[in-house]
Amino acid sequence: MTFKRSIYLYLCLLLGVLSMAAGTPAEDFASAVRGKVGVMVIDLKADTVVTAINMSEPLTPASITKSLTIASTLRKSGPDYKYHTRVYATGPIKDGVLEGNLLIVGGGDPSLGADVDPKGTDICSEIAEALRKHHVREIKGRIITDSSIFTDSPTHPTWGSGDLAHSYGTGCHGLNYRRNASGKSAVKNPQGVLVATINKTLGNSGITVAGDTIASTERKKELLNHVSPPVSEIMRSCMMRSDNLYAEALLRTYALLETKNGATDAGAKRETEYWTKKGAPMSGVKIVDGSGLSRSNKLTANFLAYVLAQMADDEVYASFFPLAGQEGTVRNLFKNTQLDSYVALKTGTMRGVRCLAGYKLDDEFAPTHAIVIIANDCPGGAAAVNKAAQKMLLDIFYPEAADYTQSLSTQNN
């Protein structure tokens, strides 16, 4: 995408004046929802701003933050990056006995043992098979874990305390398992769940674990390298289901690839530096986490529109956004309208926040426009924002259909 920064900034300033005139689609949207809003719609082919209002206003973005996290990480990792969870014997194997511990070293994979796509192979069965190949019948020591690849707290200090008990607020560890959740509840010690599952699997395979306390030696032997599905599949799952754990793992992965420090704050800092160097309008932007669960995050419509414009030529990235009326969190949005299947959007929702960000698509599912809608503190909530967003986008892309829909609504009233 050749969207020049100078042209972009000029158009932002111009639209800042023009959008104050009543009657523009963005102005009508703002009037309808009566909250704090930032809107920007860009024609990617013409390099023009179609409509905008308050595009430099810092607002709480909720889960549309994930589209930023994934853009940054994909630029660094590429679509084929894979996570590695490695299993070691920490002592010698003699006469069918591992005279040491079984060490599981996490690689940050958020999809390990997941019950949603992409489902990787079963690490527990793989461990049992690896031990059988080495003729191990007994482990004298214990099964121990190492999550140190991610160096900070599993949960961000700015997350609401009321969120932490729920599955959507579960922590991100260097060794995750079963999405660190049990039903709708967070699991604080997923490594313990993994160890218990491995013990059960080994027992069913005729391999005993004595559980003796044995100090690990510096010399260790790799028994297994468990490889995750490609990160592109994990990213798609994250966007379709709006998975906070996956997004946090991706930001920490970005930090690890960029700085060798797999911490959230390191990822947020590097992400800010990266987009600053790319010429993005950074005024008011504050990146705190990868998922958008923190209310301390602040994004502007023009910043995220810039990121979307920069990423629009990446077919893999564009494919992550769910099709309205068909997929993911927007499967019921704009259904049976001209927008159905022709806009692909990431949603962001929390108390007092409703956001939409993504692309208008052509018949080949290629992006033609970038769309950012950020709404905070709207009295009518998500339903009112959805309704006003539908009208605004129909006004822009299908004005005849929008007029027809409006006339029917007036008759029905």
Side-chain angles (χ1 to χ4, degrees), residues 136-147:
V136 174
R137 300 186 304 276
E138 180 183 358
I139 299 171
K140 292 291 289 182
R142 298 176 293 118
I143 300 172
I144 58 178
T145 61
D146 181 347
S147 295

Side-chain angles (χ1 to χ4, degrees), residues 109 111-114 118-126 225-229:
D109 180 7
S111 69
L112 190 69
K119 296 177 183 176
T121 53
D122 179 14
I123 189 172
C124 299
S125 297
E126 289 177 335
N225 176 17
H226 172 88
V227 182
S228 77

Side-chain angles (χ1 to χ4, degrees), residues 3-224:
F3 206 68
K4 299 293 192 297
R5 184 172 186 267
S6 58
I7 297 175
Y8 182 83
L9 294 176
Y10 170 76
L11 290 170
C12 287
L13 292 171
L14 177 63
L15 263 292
V17 176
L18 294 179
S19 63
M20 295 179 67
T24 66
E27 178 69 15
D28 290 346
F29 171 83
S31 297
V33 300
R34 295 179 294 117
K36 299 175 183 177
V37 303
V39 174
M40 197 163 197
V41 179
I42 298 173
D43 186 325
L44 297 170
K45 295 181 180 179
D47 282 357
T48 57
V49 180
V50 176
T51 194
I53 189 169
N54 301 332
M55 58 276 178
S56 298
E57 180 73 17
L59 296 168
T60 303
S63 281
I64 62 172
T65 304
K66 293 178 175 70
S67 60
L68 169 64
T69 302
I70 288 175
S72 307
T73 306
L74 184 63
R75 279 284 179 94
K76 183 64 180 181
S77 68
D80 299 323
Y81 176 86
K82 296 178 181 180
Y83 293 94
H84 295 262
T85 305
R86 301 181 189 274
V87 180
Y88 299 93
T90 67
I93 298 173
K94 298 179 180 179
D95 299 323
V97 178
L98 167 55
E99 297 180 350
N101 303 307
L102 193 69
L103 171 63
I104 319 297
V105 180
D109 180 7
S111 69
L112 190 69
D115 57 352
V116 296
D117 291 332
K119 296 177 183 176
T121 53
D122 179 14
I123 189 172
C124 299
S125 297
E126 289 177 335
I127 290 172
E129 180 60 26
L131 290 169
R132 281 195 295 268
K133 287 183 178 178
H134 286 82
H135 308 292
V136 174
R137 300 186 304 276
E138 180 183 358
I139 299 171
K140 292 291 289 182
R142 298 176 293 118
I143 300 172
I144 58 178
T145 61
D146 181 347
S147 295
S148 61
I149 192 169
F150 292 159
T151 55
D152 56 348
S153 171
T155 58
H156 199 274
T158 64
W159 289 1
S161 58
D163 294 327
L164 302 183
H166 301 281
S167 57
Y168 65 82
T170 193
C172 176
H173 303 255
L175 181 57
N176 305 290
Y177 188 60
R178 291 179 180 170
R179 297 196 293 139
N180 304 346
S182 175
K184 294 184 178 180
S185 299
V187 171
K188 293 185 177 181
N189 182 21
Q191 301 85 23
V193 177
L194 175 58
V195 169
T197 307
I198 294 172
N199 271 310
K200 181 177 180 180
T201 302
L202 295 185
N204 292 338
S205 300
I207 302 171
T208 60
V209 181
D212 296 342
T213 301
I214 299 177
S216 297
T217 62
E218 293 185 4
R219 185 178 180 181
K220 57 190 178 186
K221 177 182 177 64
E222 183 177 300
L223 302 179
L224 174 67

Side-chain angles (χ1 to χ4, degrees), residues 358-399:
Y359 297 107
K360 170 70 171 64
L361 308 174
D362 64 17
D363 289 336
E364 302 298 323
F365 297 101
T368 62
H369 296 73
I371 301 167
V372 179
I373 302 168
I374 307 176
N376 292 180
D377 303 326
C378 298
V385 174
N386 291 345
K387 181 179 179 181
Q390 175 176 303
K391 182 181 183 305
M392 178 177 68
L393 296 177
L394 285 172
D395 284 341
I396 293 170
F397 300 121
Y398 305 98

